Amino acid sequence: MKVNLHEVLRQTLSPGINLTEEEWAIVFNCCKAKTTKRNEILLEKGKISQYLYFVVKGCLRIFLIDEDGQEATRFLIFEGSFGTAFPSFTLRQQSSAAIQSIEPSELLMISHADYQMLLNTMPGWERMTRLGLQQDYIDAIIRIESLITMDAKQRYDILMKKNPKIIQRLPGKFVADYLGISQETLSRLKARRK
Amino acid sequence: MKVNLHEVLRQTLSPGINLTEEEWAIVFNCCKAKTTKRNEILLEKGKISQYLYFVVKGCLRIFLIDEDGQEATRFLIFEGSFGTAFPSFTLRQQSSAAIQSIEPSELLMISHADYQMLLNTMPGWERMTRLGLQQDYIDAIIRIESLITMDAKQRYDILMKKNPKIIQRLPGKFVADYLGISQETLSRLKARRK
DNA sequence: CCTATTTAATGACTTTTGTCAACTTTCGTT
DNA sequence: AACGAAAGTTGACAAAAGTCATTAAATAGG
C-alpha cells in the first residue's frame, strides 16, 4: 500500500534523477504518508511550512487571504507534483499563504529537515531539486507574462488550452482567483465564448 | 581591469558558494566580458538565448513584444544579478522575449555550454545555481501574488517601497510595463499620491 | 434519495484601467 | 548650448473588470 505511493513518487522523479536502490530507500524513508479530507487545511497562514508535499492523488491549493477574507490562489498542485508554501518552507518564515486539500487526497510529505539532509548528502537529490525549480520558475515566468500582457478572456483561453483539467475539475471560484479575476467575470467569460 | 569584473562576480557569489582557487579560475575562464551601449539589443525575439549574463554595471531588460508592437517587461536586471531569457536559455527554445541593455553596461557572459559544464563538474556551482533559482522563484511568486491580489496603485506603492531604484532610475514606460499597466495610468498614479 | 450547503449565473451599477490625441518637458547627442 | 527625439502629462472617452444583490442549479454527504 505505502509501496504504491512510493512507486508513484519514483516514477515521477526517475526521468531527472539517478539514484541507487539504497538512496531510493533513504528517500522513501523520509516520506510520511498522509490522507486528507476535502477542504482540510494543511497549513495556516502565519505558520512556518514544515513540509514539502507530493500529491499522489487529489489536489492541493496554496492560497492567500487578505484582511477582508478575499482569497487568491497562488498555486494548484495536482497528482504527480510537489508543492508547499515555498517561500515559507525555504526561508523558514511565517507563511503569507495557507495550504488546503480541496479534494480528498493522498499525499507524501517530507519534512524540511529531511529535505535539507537529502540536499546535503545526495547529489542526485540536489540535481533533481534544481531541475524541478528550473521548471517551476519557468512556469512562474509564463504566468507572470500572461498576467502582464493579457486580459481575462485571453488568460482563460490559454488556461483552457494548456491546463483544461483545472477548469474541468475544480469549482469556478478557484479557477477565478487563480486567474486573478472575480467569480462573476469568469462566469461571464464562459457565457461569452460560444 | 578584467580582474575587477571577476571580483564583483566573486563577491556576489561567495556568500552561497564555496569554491577552491582552481575552481574560481575555471569559472572566471568561462566569463567573457562585454560592454554595451544604451538600448543595445543582446538577444532578439525568436533566437535561442546562448548566454547567461551577469550585470557588473548598468541594467538589462528582458521584455516581450506582441504583434502590434506593445511591449511588456518581464524582468529588470541590475548590478550584481544574473539574468537571461531563462526559458529559452534553459530549454534551448526560441525566445519569446528579447534582451536589451537599457543603460550602457558592463557585463560578464557565460555560454550555455560552459554553464552546463560547470553544473556537471562543479558541485559548488550546482549548489549556487539551485540557491539562485530558489530566490528567483520566490521573487516570481511574490510578483504573481502582487498581480493577482493588488490594483495598480498598490503594486506601485509596493515597488516604491521594495525596489525604489527601479522607479528612480528608469524611464517610466519601463516601470509601467513592468507593473503591467499603461504609461498613462502610471502617470496618473504618481499625480494622485500626494 | 434528500436537503443543507456550495456553486453558478445574471442584472444593475461603479470603479479601474486602457486608448487616443494633443501638448509639454526632459534628455541624449552632437 | 541647441536641436530633435524620447518621455511624461493631461483630458475625454471607451472598455474591462469589480461589486452587490438575487435567483437558480448542482452537489456533498448523511
Side-chain angles (χ1 to χ4, degrees):
Chain A
M1 172 55 180
K2 198 169 178 182
V3 172
N4 284 339
L5 303 184
H6 290 164
E7 276 314 307
V8 175
L9 177 65
R10 185 183 196 140
Q11 255 140 56
T12 303
L13 297 186
S14 44
I17 196 174
N18 223 328
L19 298 185
T20 64
E21 281 307 315
E22 291 72 32
E23 288 178 319
W24 278 114
I26 295 172
V27 169
F28 292 155
N29 204 42
C30 291
C31 295
K32 294 185 246 309
K34 185 177 177 73
T35 303
T36 63
K37 289 181 290 204
R38 188 174 107 96
N39 291 337
E40 182 171 334
I41 297 290
L42 295 172
L43 176 74
E44 285 168 35
K45 174 179 171 173
K47 300 267 175 75
I48 297 176
S49 181
Q50 303 293 358
Y51 295 100
L52 175 65
Y53 296 96
F54 176 77
V55 180
V56 178
K57 189 168 189 326
C59 176
L60 297 185
R61 172 183 181 236
I62 323 280
F63 68 107
L64 304 159
I65 323 176
D66 71 11
E67 321 76 51
D68 12 284
Q70 282 277 30
E71 297 188 356
T73 296
R74 183 199 280 175
F75 291 115
L76 296 166
I77 321 284
F78 293 96
E79 287 88 358
S81 293
F82 283 93
T84 185
F86 190 77
S88 173
F89 180 79
T90 303
L91 302 176
R92 320 305 299 139
Q93 295 175 347
Q94 295 195 336
S95 179
S96 57
I99 307 180
Q100 96 189 127
S101 68
I102 55 187
E103 299 174 353
S105 302
E106 288 179 41
L107 310 172
L108 292 173
M109 45 199 268
I110 299 178
S111 75
H112 183 263
D114 284 344
Y115 175 80
Q116 286 293 353
M117 182 274 286
L118 291 172
L119 279 173
N120 288 324
T121 61
M122 215 177 273
W125 181 263
E126 176 149 52
R127 167 134 315 185
M128 188 215 78
T129 301
R130 176 178 62 82
L131 294 173
L133 273 173
Q134 225 168 56
Q135 190 58 53
D136 289 342
Y137 182 44
I138 290 173
D139 292 343
I141 290 172
I142 292 171
R143 186 143 165 233
I144 288 171
E145 292 184 354
S146 76
L147 289 165
I148 60 178
T149 62
M150 298 175 186
D151 65 18
K153 177 69 161 49
Q154 289 173 298
R155 296 207 295 278
Y156 177 83
D157 289 345
I158 297 273
L159 185 65
M160 178 62 105
K161 205 170 150 189
K162 293 274 183 66
N163 231 333
K165 73 177 163 196
I166 289 184
I167 294 174
Q168 288 151 7
R169 182 165 154 183
L170 300 184
K173 65 170 181 170
F174 297 139
V175 178
D177 65 39
Y178 178 77
L179 290 171
I181 62 179
S182 72
Q183 221 179 127
E184 293 93 332
T185 297
L186 177 61
S187 181
R188 292 185 175 108
L189 246 41
K190 287 186 191 169
R192 200 169 104 204
R193 72 195 323 274
K194 295 288 154 61
Chain B
M1 171 56 179
K2 198 169 179 183
V3 172
N4 285 338
L5 302 185
H6 290 163
E7 276 314 307
V8 175
L9 177 64
R10 184 182 197 141
Q11 254 141 57
T12 303
L13 297 185
S14 42
I17 196 173
N18 223 329
L19 298 185
T20 64
E21 281 305 315
E22 289 73 31
E23 288 178 320
W24 279 114
I26 295 171
V27 170
F28 292 154
N29 204 41
C30 291
C31 295
K32 294 184 245 314
K34 185 175 177 74
T35 303
T36 63
K37 289 181 289 203
R38 189 173 105 93
N39 291 336
E40 181 171 336
I41 297 290
L42 296 171
L43 175 73
E44 284 166 35
K45 173 179 171 173
K47 300 268 175 73
I48 296 177
S49 181
Q50 303 293 358
Y51 295 100
L52 175 65
Y53 296 97
F54 176 76
V55 180
V56 177
K57 189 167 186 330
C59 175
L60 297 186
R61 172 184 182 233
I62 324 278
F63 66 108
L64 304 159
I65 322 176
D66 71 12
E67 320 77 51
D68 13 285
Q70 283 277 29
E71 298 189 355
T73 296
R74 183 199 278 173
F75 291 115
L76 296 166
I77 321 284
F78 292 96
E79 286 87 358
S81 293
F82 282 94
T84 186
F86 190 77
S88 173
F89 180 79
T90 303
L91 303 176
R92 318 306 299 141
Q93 296 174 346
Q94 294 196 337
S95 179
S96 57
I99 306 180
Q100 94 188 128
S101 68
I102 54 187
E103 298 174 353
S105 303
E106 288 179 42
L107 310 171
L108 292 173
M109 45 198 268
I110 299 178
S111 74
H112 184 263
D114 284 343
Y115 176 78
Q116 286 293 354
M117 182 275 286
L118 291 172
L119 280 172
N120 288 324
T121 60
M122 215 178 273
W125 182 262
E126 176 149 52
R127 166 131 318 185
M128 188 215 78
T129 301
R130 176 178 63 81
L131 293 173
L133 273 173
Q134 226 169 55
Q135 190 58 53
D136 289 342
Y137 182 43
I138 289 173
D139 292 343
I141 290 173
I142 292 171
R143 185 144 165 233
I144 288 171
E145 292 184 354
S146 76
L147 289 165
I148 59 178
T149 63
M150 298 176 187
D151 63 18
K153 176 70 160 49
Q154 290 173 298
R155 296 207 295 279
Y156 177 82
D157 289 344
I158 296 274
L159 185 66
M160 179 63 104
K161 205 169 149 190
K162 293 274 183 66
N163 231 333
K165 73 176 162 195
I166 289 185
I167 294 175
Q168 289 152 6
R169 182 166 157 183
L170 300 184
K173 64 168 183 172
F174 297 141
V175 177
D177 65 37
Y178 178 76
L179 289 171
I181 61 181
S182 71
Q183 215 179 136
E184 293 93 331
T185 297
L186 176 63
S187 181
R188 292 186 175 106
L189 246 40
K190 288 187 192 169
R192 198 169 104 204
R193 73 196 320 276
K194 295 288 158 60

